[in-house]
Amino acid sequence: AGFMMLEAGFARTREVVNVLLECIVDTCLCAILFWAFGFAFMFGSGNGFIGHTFFFLHGAPATYDFGGSFDTGVAFLAFFLFQYAFADTCSTITSGAMVGRTGFVGDLIYSVGVSGFIYPIVGHWIWGPGGFLQTAHNGVWLRDFAGSTVVHTVGAMIALAGAIVLGPRLGRKFKRDGGGLPAGHDLTIAAVGGVILWFGWYGFNPGSTLSAFDAAGIGRVATNTTLAAAAGGLLAMFWVFPRIKKWDIGITINGFLGGLVAITAPCYWISPTGAIVVGAIGGIVVVYGIDFIEWLKVDDPIGAVAVHGLAGIFGTISIGLFATGQFGIPGPLGADKSGGVVTGLFYGGGTDQLVSQIIGSAAVTGIVLV
């Protein structure tokens, strides 16, 4: 509902029905693809690049075990359903930059590619058992708590490729040619959609603890998520005001979404103050990201590349800067420090985590774009 309303609100009137149908069919198609082989590619045991067990959810155990590191105690099908929501999100991000130029058959084709192959295979590298990006630099894992890279950067890079290949919408005049973004269909709908997405993030981020017993982790993640969104929305709004001399609802929506995207990767490992800084920078990244995409003459009606791509890249890197060194990986009862803690550069952790974040983000960004 959040993506449907956001994209329908920012699109032109004649594009709205296509947006609505695409979002619904993405959701339906992704469920079947993820059941058949997407989940197997992503979370099945295999090698560093792809999984090859649990096709059609065959042979599923009672609970999902992350490659033997610890048994989450999460029912297998509950874990499948949770991860399906992430896969569906990635595919729906993609549509945002391709509004108004993609025939419905094209929607179906790219949805199969994203939900069935690109997202699960790339996701296996970071979240799947034995993924090769889990030891990206000096044995230090690439960390991505809830998907700034796995979900948002992947979706945005596919969106960018699609927007480039499709070209601009008919009649679209870019800012450096004396034009700008066409007026949206209904900013009331766009605002409601943005707030629904904000609410949905409380499933995304706190849910990624994978344990209702990690009360401290859930509280920390939910608070950091809230503060980052608030900071991103406010700073984007105030940042743009001197330029256009009005309080702009569109950039405010995308600002808090940029804050949410940026906080998605580091939310478990940083402090509330760090969350405000990350969210605020995420909001500014969105402002200049939208400017940059417009300057490139890429028609992105929703701002998907700036919000999900550039803010996602920043959010991933921010772990290497702002992680406080207090928390390890999420465990069934709380943060598990037995394998070490995650510490960023600003908290005395050196550059290993930062370099790992940069390598992982760059690898995913480049490979997915290609």
Side-chain angles (χ1 to χ4, degrees):
F3 275 115
M4 287 167 68
M5 295 298 97
L6 182 77
E7 294 180 13
F10 279 133
R12 295 179 296 189
T13 302
R14 66 184 185 183
E15 298 158 356
V16 168
V17 171
N18 174 260
V19 167
L20 300 177
L21 183 62
E22 180 275 328
C23 285
I24 291 170
V25 172
D26 255 4
T27 301
C28 298
L29 192 58
C30 181
I32 305 303
L33 293 168
F34 211 58
W35 160 77
F37 51 83
F39 184 88
F41 288 159
M42 189 165 182
F43 291 105
S45 58
N47 53 41
F49 292 92
I50 193 168
H52 49 67
T53 57
F54 306 134
F55 290 104
F56 304 98
L57 301 185
H58 180 71
T63 59
Y64 185 80
D65 181 358
F66 272 93
S69 56
F70 63 87
D71 189 346
T72 63
V74 176
F76 187 94
L77 291 182
F79 182 74
F80 164 81
L81 191 66
F82 181 62
Q83 293 298 339
Y84 150 65
F86 284 69
D88 183 33
T89 297
C90 184
S91 184
T92 315
I93 290 167
T94 300
S95 65
M98 298 161 63
V99 166
R101 290 148 292 169
T102 312
F104 186 63
V105 173
D107 284 328
L108 293 174
I109 292 170
Y110 88 70
S111 188
V112 170
V114 177
S115 299
F117 297 95
I118 299 174
Y119 169 77
I121 293 170
V122 173
H124 180 84
W125 304 346
I126 301 171
W127 285 349
F132 81 94
L133 285 177
Q134 292 174 13
T135 52
H137 177 71
N138 288 350
V140 176
W141 280 26
L142 166 68
R143 304 287 183 180
D144 183 3
F145 185 71
S148 289
T149 293
V150 177
V151 180
H152 296 284
T153 304
V154 169
M157 289 306 105
I158 302 165
L160 176 59
I164 291 170
V165 170
L166 288 165
R169 292 170 289 177
L170 292 175
R172 174 74 157 91
K173 195 174 182 182
F174 291 94
K175 193 170 183 179
R176 59 177 173 155
D177 297 326
L181 274 171
H185 163 66
D186 187 337
L187 288 177
T188 303
I189 291 175
V192 171
V195 173
I196 290 173
L197 285 173
W198 184 343
F199 181 72
W201 242 275
Y202 296 110
F204 236 63
N205 287 6
S208 292
T209 59
L210 296 179
S211 173
F213 296 105
D214 186 3
I218 289 170
R220 181 172 66 256
V221 168
T223 298
N224 287 344
T225 299
T226 305
L227 293 172
L234 287 173
L235 206 58
M237 180 185 71
F238 284 118
W239 204 266
V240 165
F241 180 79
R243 182 194 305 181
I244 62 175
K245 298 298 186 291
K246 69 175 184 178
W247 307 105
D248 188 270
I249 181 63
I251 200 65
T252 306
I253 295 166
N254 275 337
F256 77 66
L257 291 174
L260 287 164
V261 170
I263 200 63
T264 297
C267 55
Y268 194 81
W269 295 293
I270 69 175
S271 68
T273 302
I276 290 174
V277 174
V278 169
I281 295 173
I284 296 173
V285 166
V286 167
V287 172
Y288 288 111
I290 290 172
D291 288 346
F292 180 59
I293 298 301
E294 181 78 9
W295 182 82
L296 291 176
K297 294 189 174 183
V298 174
D299 187 10
D300 180 1
I302 316 299
V305 177
V307 170
H308 299 279
L310 300 181
I313 290 167
F314 166 70
T316 303
I317 293 171
S318 71
I319 296 175
L321 299 173
F322 295 101
T324 62
Q326 297 171 278
F327 311 106
I329 62 172
L333 299 177
D336 181 0
K337 299 181 182 180
S338 61
V341 294
V342 182
T343 312
L345 179 64
F346 296 158
Y347 288 82
T351 59
D352 278 356
Q353 190 69 59
L354 179 61
V355 171
S356 181
Q357 299 303 119
I358 293 170
I359 290 172
S361 181
V364 169
T365 301
I367 290 169
V368 173
L369 188 59
V370 170

